[in-house]
Amino acid sequence: MRVAFIYLFYVWCFLLSICQAQNVKEKWSAESVTLFTTWTSLSVLDARQTFHMEEYRMYYDDLEPITYAHEVNPFIGKNPTKDRVVMVKVLSGALTYYGLNKMKEKNRKKALIGFNIFYFIIVLHNASLGLRI
């Protein structure tokens, strides 16, 4: 778990350096920054729920296998490891940031609202299966 936080810290520093190095044509509004932060937080919650699912399987699968919860992200795979989950989340976050940074502000807000709704539904669905946050 500590390794995951170290990875996230390095990625955070990398993203901050990208923000400073790029010549952004259109600045992000405060609303877009808030939406991006919310989306990132929901992504971290989804990763934590994946960790919880795998922790449960490691300890209790012999007693009572859980068949109702499984990973559906094809990049993470059916048996996700913490390193793979963190790297997929970091890479997808960086690529999403890069793509959003190229958009006009109006389109960026619409995309971020869509991302937030999508991830909110995922986190709620995972929580309804009993995966703690």
Side-chain angles (χ1 to χ4, degrees):
M1 186 59 125
R2 195 172 275 221
V3 173
F5 288 114
I6 293 171
Y7 283 140
L8 289 175
F9 175 73
Y10 283 129
V11 170
W12 178 260
C13 293
F14 174 71
L15 287 176
L16 286 177
S17 67
I18 289 175
C19 293
Q20 299 298 324
Q22 285 186 348
N23 184 11
V24 179
K25 295 179 183 175
E26 195 169 335
K27 288 188 105 177
W28 286 49
S29 68
E31 184 180 1
S32 290
V33 171
T34 303
L35 286 169
F36 185 78
T37 305
T38 305
W39 173 75
T40 306
S41 301
L42 288 169
S43 182
V44 169
L45 287 175
D46 180 44
R48 178 62 189 115
Q49 289 171 329
T50 303
F51 297 159
H52 178 250
M53 178 181 65
E54 285 307 305
E55 288 169 5
Y56 184 90
R57 283 199 172 131
M58 285 187 334
Y59 296 115
Y60 300 109
D61 217 19
D62 293 334
L63 300 173
E64 180 185 350
I66 55 171
T67 57
Y68 56 86
H70 61 279
E71 183 58 47
V72 295
N73 187 336
F75 296 116
I76 294 175
K78 290 185 178 185
N79 297 318
T81 62
K82 289 185 179 184
D83 293 340
R84 187 181 299 168
V85 171
V86 169
M87 289 313 296
V88 166
K89 293 293 184 181
V90 165
L91 290 175
S92 65
L95 290 173
T96 302
Y97 174 78
Y98 180 76
L100 290 169
N101 211 26
K102 299 290 183 184
M103 292 181 175
K104 292 183 179 181
E105 181 60 27
K106 178 181 171 185
N107 296 334
R108 185 182 304 134
K109 280 184 191 176
K110 289 179 183 177
L112 284 167
I113 289 170
F115 288 155
N116 277 306
I117 291 170
F118 179 70
Y119 264 88
F120 187 69
I121 290 170
I122 290 172
V123 169
L124 280 179
H125 175 262
N126 291 345
S128 73
L129 295 176
L131 299 174
R132 68 174 186 252
I133 296 177

